[in-house]
């Protein structure tokens, strides 16, 4: 059995480096960090999709940069796999993201597990001037963004979970993979 850890790395939590060293020493398989670039002041999309829920927990707006924290973890461990749980791809420039991912995979000696998602909050996309804001009939994932990230066109429109999986499989065809797709 493989056991992983997932934590919001914040200035109020255990240091990512200290946690990684402790996790590696205790035999954990991997350590995953989520990302939240910012929390928009306007909340068009309520937390968890439910307006009756309380405000977002503090850890959401105190989260440190995912790639910086994972780079520090990679440099301070040798066996522990590191994961993005998840990277909000629509908030990032695809060229810079591809470079960050490739660099972190290299620095970690191939220990990176790259988890991606599109994001839940429309406010994130709007405040980042994102040209890939989903339409009302979309699943929320943009084939245009993923095409730019991969540098290849996709065979079909992404509008369902099944087509997203198909597209990700298409992405994986020419890419280095750890077999955990």
């Amino acid at each position: 059995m493989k056991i992983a850890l997932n934590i919001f790395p914040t200035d109020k939590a255990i240091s990512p480096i200290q946690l990684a060293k402790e996790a590696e020493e205790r035999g954990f398989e991997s350590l995953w960090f989520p990302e939240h670039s910012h929390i928009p002041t306007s909340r068009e999309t309520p937390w968890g999709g439910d307006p009756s829920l309380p405000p977002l927990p503090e850890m959401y707006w105190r989260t440190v940069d995912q790639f910086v924290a994972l780079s520090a973890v990679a440099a301070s461990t040798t066996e522990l796999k590191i994961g993005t749980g998840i990277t909000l791809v629509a908030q990032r420039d695809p060229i810079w993201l591809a470079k960050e991912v490739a660099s972190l995979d290299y620095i970690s000696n191939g220990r990176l597990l790259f988890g991606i998602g599109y994001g839940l909050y429309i406010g994130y996309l709007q405040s980042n001037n994102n040209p890939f804001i989903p339409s009302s009939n979309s699943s929320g994932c943009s084939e245009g963004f993923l095409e730019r990230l991969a540098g290849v066109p996709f065979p079909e429109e992404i509008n369902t979970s099944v087509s997203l999986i198909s597209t990700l499989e298409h992405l994986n065809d020419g890419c280095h993979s750890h077999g955990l797709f």
Side-chain angles (χ1 to χ4, degrees):
M1 178 185 308
K2 297 175 183 176
I3 300 176
L5 294 174
N6 183 15
I7 186 174
F8 278 76
T10 73
D11 59 326
K12 291 190 169 188
I14 185 173
S15 150
I17 294 169
Q18 182 183 352
L19 177 61
K21 288 178 178 180
E22 297 289 338
E24 186 169 68
E25 185 178 300
R26 287 165 174 74
F28 283 88
E29 184 251 359
S30 56
L31 177 59
W32 298 74
F33 294 154
E35 88 169 337
H36 290 278
S37 61
H38 65 290
I39 301 300
T41 54
S42 166
R43 297 301 309 220
E44 242 182 83
T45 313
W47 178 50
D50 183 349
S52 69
L53 290 175
L56 243 94
E58 184 179 13
M59 64 190 176
Y60 278 79
W61 66 79
R62 298 188 79 94
T63 303
V64 302
D65 182 85
Q66 178 183 65
F67 284 98
V68 172
L70 288 171
S71 294
V73 166
S76 60
T77 59
T78 58
E79 301 295 320
L80 186 70
K81 292 180 184 175
I82 56 175
T84 62
I86 60 174
T87 295
L88 299 170
V89 296
Q91 293 182 38
R92 297 174 161 275
D93 176 84
I95 294 169
W96 279 110
L97 177 58
K99 184 172 183 130
E100 287 172 324
V101 170
S103 298
L104 184 53
D105 191 55
Y106 170 73
I107 289 168
S108 70
N109 293 314
R111 293 182 286 143
L112 176 62
L113 303 170
F114 184 41
I116 64 170
Y118 200 75
L120 174 63
Y121 305 114
I122 295 297
Y124 278 147
L125 303 173
Q126 291 169 334
S127 61
N128 282 333
N129 296 316
N130 188 306
F132 302 109
I133 294 175
S135 64
S136 60
N137 63 353
S138 162
S139 67
C141 188
S142 167
E143 63 274 6
F145 179 87
L146 292 172
E147 285 176 353
R148 285 183 58 203
L149 179 63
V152 295
F154 293 126
E156 61 189 72
E157 182 179 346
I158 301 172
N159 56 15
T160 66
S161 296
V162 171
S163 62
L164 175 58
I165 291 168
S166 172
T167 298
L168 293 174
E169 287 171 343
H170 176 75
L171 252 180
N172 195 42
D173 283 344
C175 301
H176 171 71
S177 169
H178 298 283
L180 301 172
F181 204 59

